[in-house]
Amino acid sequence: YPAGFVYIFLGLYYATGHGTDIRLAQYLFAGLYLLNLLLVFRIYCRTNKVPPYVFFFMCCASYRIHSIFVLRLFNDPVAMAILFLAINLFLEEHWSWGCLFFSLAVSVKMNILLFAPGLLFLLLQRFGLLGGIPKLCICALLQVVLGLPFLMVNPMGYLTRSFDLGRQFQFKWTVNWRFLPEEVFHNRAFHATLLLAHLTGLGLFALHRWHRSKESILALLKDPAERKHASPPLTANNILWQASCVCPLNASAQIVFVLFSSNFLGICCSRSLHYQFYVWYFHTLPYLLWCTPTAKLAHMPKVLLLGVIELCWNTYPSTVCSSLSLHICHGLVLLQLWYGTAPPPVPHTPAPSRRPAAISKKAQ
């Protein structure tokens, strides 16, 4: 793991009497769990997309999440709590501080890099290329500072082991690919296919769902002051569109949508998901399901989808049925994200009539 993990768990090691006071460690992780919920709730309150009753499922209905936090004491929830703090800072327009804490989360566990494509898009959208470089330097500089004691001794060993992109996972722990033969699971061609699918998904979402301007996506490289900010005219067609099956996202919701969907695309194309990886996206699922308009009768299928995903993660060891069901659920979430956040249709403007329009008596 990267250096941030070493420092945090070294502190826990000494705080718990060289790792002997397990009860104290569980109390500390219970506090982390409550802090994590507070940060997530704050994000959801800013976006105002998720109905309040869904928070019950987030707090009380996941045995697996409680186990990851308070029983297993994994580093995954530590990284995610810092990540949610960074997102809160982004929503408050504290982008430099947000990048600092985002990089700190990466230094605890590498899975936070799944949010990186979305963050890069937001930085370019907000600051342009030249304005975004200082923010990216903050992320890189913190990694160098935290890893300096290790980089000075064995730089290649630290980089290759802390950020091991070629890590080979064990088939017995996989939650999402149990239905495949083990030889296919370990095949490098299969891994390359997943990487290609991941990059393709990111490209499609960036071009057609994250980028909402009429300009080319290359306009993100410009300074924001030099771009055309042509908002669509407020016509009857646009008003009807905003009230129909797709919804325009406000500024806070757009930031969260880009980051959460970036991470979810990585989850869907992951080479393997282990049981502790559930915390990587559990707290983002309600937003991903409810960020699109929901009819009254459509709430129950979304709750059912949350329940099936939870059931898949609580099936140990995973089975062909549980892993297939998990992929089906992920596919359904992706479909409703794609079709539920579609850009508005081009308004049809009728050709002007040659005959002057009759003036009504009221207008006279």
Side-chain angles (χ1 to χ4, degrees), residues 179-195:
F179 62 91
L180 292 177
E182 187 169 356
E183 56 271 18
V184 175
F185 175 80
H186 290 299
N187 193 287
R188 293 293 182 182
F190 173 62
H191 301 165
T193 302
L194 289 175
L195 177 60

Side-chain angles (χ1 to χ4, degrees), residues 262-280:
S262 173
N263 177 65
F264 186 69
L265 286 166
I267 294 291
C268 293
C269 301
S270 177
R271 285 190 289 127
S272 183
L273 294 176
H274 294 179
Y275 285 94
Q276 68 269 29
F277 297 177
Y278 190 24
V279 78
W280 292 4

